Amino acid sequence: MTSTNDRVVPPAARRRRRPTKSGVVLSEELIVETALRLLKEHGADALTVRRLGLALGADPSALYRYFRDTDDLLLAIADELIGRTLRTWHPTGDWRADLRDLGLRVHSGSLAHPQAAVLSSYRVTGRVHEIAAVETIIGVLRGAGFPDPEAVRIYHAFVDQALAFAALDAASVALPRAARDAEAGVWRATYARLPVDSHPNIAATARHLVLDMGRSAYPTALDLLLSAAAARLTEITGGGDAKGTPQRPPGPSH
Amino acid sequence: MTSTNDRVVPPAARRRRRPTKSGVVLSEELIVETALRLLKEHGADALTVRRLGLALGADPSALYRYFRDTDDLLLAIADELIGRTLRTWHPTGDWRADLRDLGLRVHSGSLAHPQAAVLSSYRVTGRVHEIAAVETIIGVLRGAGFPDPEAVRIYHAFVDQALAFAALDAASVALPRAARDAEAGVWRATYARLPVDSHPNIAATARHLVLDMGRSAYPTALDLLLSAAAARLTEITGGGDAKGTPQRPPGPSH
DNA sequence: TTAACAGGTCAACGCTGTTGTCATAAGGTG
DNA sequence: CACCTTATGACAACAGCGTTGACCTGTTAA
């Protein structure tokens, strides 16, 4: 329905033929892999259609046979990252521990590919891996005993918090080396030296600030969120049923 | 030391002369103001050097006499936004209500100018407005009765969560119109139509998902964080002293 | 064996940020 | 008032971007 111009053929109907001039046989997977490699090796700015074509040994315009536009490609990259994270996650049935584990995995997974995370963490892909994740997480919450509207609210807060922190911390990691060092230095050089009388609270806590600001606040924020959710749950269920019956046996749904 | 090419003159040494062809006299402030107006009126895509020049009635290249590059301009815009947000915040002495109010202000302030928020929310500036904010927020927490290490931990989680969500939601808003509409549609078109037997949890909550995913999860996440922090506080202080004595009279410190 | 067509290639468009060069009006100086 | 310096605006050009229409060609099914 996207006007008449659709050079993209659905992957199912694709009977891949015709190697590129340099001999490579293109595929959706190969393109996404190469894009991730480009991002990892040369930073977010290196990901352009033209450079990606060059890295693949194909004309840039060939990519448009596989992705409607660069945004479409970006979503495919994002979904691949979700898939990789989910594949290493093995829920135990304890909703709080499972969500904590998943959150930390999403976070550290993003830091492993900061450039990709920065570009894609805020997108709704609607692709297979994302759908599987949504299904599983909501299942965990409903299984824990949250009523549907509450489960959705907490799901939304949990997921967006994980993605938001992933993007935030990934952005720091993705900064040019000089800029990153400069930022770290600000806490020592500026904040830790403020006089007591003009900035009593900073001065009193300077030691803690220097220590704490050097690492991600995500674990703290995640624990606060989960702890509030747990409190809400006992409020609702009247104290019992903290574990609950899973709506679905452990393991990501396919 | 930024090589030999510096057409930017420090604002102090500026003795503004020479009106533009259309009669406007340029200045740093006028450029930032106009950029904010452009962003607000015509969306994030409208902010290009060329369009900004057009809106000012000046040649695009004239802007490079005031800002080193577009990133420099964006930081100036961001700084202006921080100032505006702080200026409209008036703490009452109730730590939880005050932090809630500040968080929401930071968030909505970013959404009003998503382009700037996306680029600047993860940077430590060490500038006056930022320092004032840090001093005030830590003061609020210590005044509430949090011991120093706990105050710093919660400060960090609170601030980074506000910035992270601001960037996340701003990024959505900053999306090209088509992509934004597409995302909204995914929840209706894809998620709301998944069959019950393959995706029972999504199917059961589809109605809530469509409703909830359309808006930001930040208010929920913020309330969860504050509620957990409040619980932590009564745990520490043994239930009394919920209001506490402010370490500093209300109002951002200057 | 051949015809259809998926898919790779080429060239071009309009857009972007940025810079080297030139022109000129403002403002200090005498 | 006239002069000179110079700050600063204008112009033109560059390289690079995403994207598309037209063309060409190898693969595959019949």
Side-chain angles (χ1 to χ4, degrees):
Chain A
M1 236 36 92
T2 55
S3 95
T4 71
N5 278 346
D6 214 358
R7 27 224 311 182
V8 179
V9 172
R14 202 175 275 284
R15 303 199 304 271
R16 57 193 158 56
R17 309 187 279 180
R18 198 100 129 100
T20 157
K21 218 174 188 180
S22 66
V24 192
V25 176
L26 294 181
S27 72
E28 209 168 311
E29 295 78 24
L30 179 63
I31 295 174
V32 169
E33 263 172 45
T34 308
L36 277 173
R37 187 167 54 77
L38 261 187
L39 281 169
K40 178 149 232 163
E41 289 176 7
H42 301 103
D45 292 347
L47 189 62
T48 72
V49 176
R50 297 172 125 96
R51 266 199 271 252
L52 184 49
L54 201 66
L56 282 163
D59 189 274
S61 64
L63 303 184
Y64 289 86
R65 301 282 182 202
Y66 296 84
F67 301 97
R68 201 178 315 284
D69 50 29
T70 37
D71 194 65
D72 195 22
L73 169 62
L74 216 60
L75 292 184
I77 295 174
D79 200 59
E80 173 60 22
L81 285 184
I82 294 175
R84 291 187 184 186
T85 300
L86 260 196
R87 226 172 286 135
T88 66
W89 178 62
H90 303 290
T92 64
D94 175 351
W95 71 271
R96 189 164 167 179
D98 288 343
L99 288 190
R100 193 181 131 86
D101 185 41
L102 179 58
L104 294 178
R105 271 174 203 280
V106 168
H107 187 253
S108 66
S110 293
L111 293 194
H113 292 273
Q115 330 281 4
V118 164
L119 291 179
S120 64
S121 66
Y122 53 87
R123 304 305 307 275
V124 177
T125 70
R127 286 165 177 255
V128 280
H129 293 130
E130 189 191 63
I131 294 177
V134 175
E135 171 67 19
T136 308
I137 299 173
I138 293 184
V140 166
L141 288 169
R142 295 179 77 217
F146 287 98
D148 288 354
E150 198 74 6
V152 166
R153 276 188 56 224
I154 292 181
Y155 157 77
H156 192 184
F158 167 79
V159 160
D160 276 16
Q161 185 195 51
L163 294 178
F165 269 95
L168 188 81
D169 293 331
S172 287
V173 173
L175 272 167
R177 185 126 188 73
R180 186 152 87 259
D181 293 348
E183 302 222 335
V186 167
W187 290 103
R188 287 201 148 68
T190 304
Y191 282 91
R193 286 174 210 267
L194 290 173
V196 192
D197 49 333
S198 69
H199 298 82
N201 294 302
I202 291 178
T205 55
R207 197 163 50 83
H208 303 294
L209 274 175
V210 170
L211 271 180
D212 207 78
M213 301 311 284
R215 42 175 212 260
S216 170
Y218 179 58
T220 302
L222 173 60
D223 283 335
L224 289 174
L225 186 145
L226 290 177
S227 131
R232 189 95 186 77
L233 182 60
T234 59
E235 212 174 276
I236 292 170
T237 63
D241 186 41
K243 281 278 169 60
T245 317
Q247 289 301 101
R248 184 159 253 257
S253 46
H254 296 285
Chain B
M1 229 39 83
T2 56
S3 93
T4 70
N5 278 346
D6 214 359
R7 30 226 308 182
V8 180
V9 172
R14 203 174 276 281
R15 302 199 307 269
R16 52 186 163 61
R17 308 187 278 178
R18 195 90 137 105
T20 155
K21 219 174 190 180
S22 65
V24 192
V25 175
L26 294 180
S27 71
E28 210 167 311
E29 295 78 23
L30 178 64
I31 295 174
V32 169
E33 265 172 42
T34 308
L36 281 172
R37 187 168 54 76
L38 260 188
L39 281 170
K40 181 148 234 162
E41 287 177 8
H42 300 104
D45 293 347
L47 189 63
T48 72
V49 177
R50 299 174 123 94
R51 267 198 272 253
L52 184 50
L54 201 66
L56 283 162
D59 188 273
S61 65
L63 303 183
Y64 290 86
R65 301 283 183 202
Y66 296 85
F67 301 97
R68 199 180 314 287
D69 50 29
T70 37
D71 192 63
D72 195 21
L73 169 61
L74 273 156
L75 286 183
I77 294 173
D79 196 56
E80 172 62 21
L81 286 184
I82 293 176
R84 290 188 186 184
T85 299
L86 265 193
R87 225 173 287 134
T88 65
W89 179 60
H90 304 288
T92 64
D94 176 352
W95 71 271
R96 191 166 166 178
D98 287 343
L99 290 189
R100 192 181 133 84
D101 185 41
L102 179 58
L104 293 177
R105 272 175 204 280
V106 168
H107 187 253
S108 66
S110 293
L111 290 197
H113 300 281
Q115 179 95 298
V118 165
L119 288 178
S120 63
S121 66
Y122 55 86
R123 299 210 176 162
V124 180
T125 68
R127 292 166 130 256
V128 278
H129 289 316
E130 190 190 63
I131 294 177
V134 175
E135 171 67 18
T136 308
I137 297 174
I138 293 184
V140 166
L141 287 169
R142 293 178 79 217
F146 287 98
D148 289 353
E150 197 73 6
V152 167
R153 277 188 56 225
I154 290 181
Y155 158 77
H156 192 185
F158 168 79
V159 159
D160 275 16
Q161 179 166 283
L163 295 177
F165 269 94
L168 187 82
D169 292 331
S172 287
V173 173
L175 240 41
R177 184 126 186 75
R180 188 152 84 260
D181 293 348
E183 301 224 335
V186 166
W187 291 103
R188 287 201 149 67
T190 304
Y191 282 91
R193 287 176 210 265
L194 290 172
V196 192
D197 49 332
S198 69
H199 299 81
N201 294 301
I202 291 178
T205 56
R207 198 165 47 87
H208 304 293
L209 275 175
V210 169
L211 270 180
D212 206 79
M213 300 312 285
R215 43 176 211 259
S216 169
Y218 180 60
T220 301
L222 173 60
D223 283 335
L224 289 173
L225 186 145
L226 290 176
S227 133
R232 189 98 186 75
L233 182 60
T234 59
E235 212 175 277
I236 292 170
T237 64
D241 187 40
K243 281 278 169 59
T245 317
Q247 291 299 103
R248 183 158 255 257
S253 47
H254 294 285

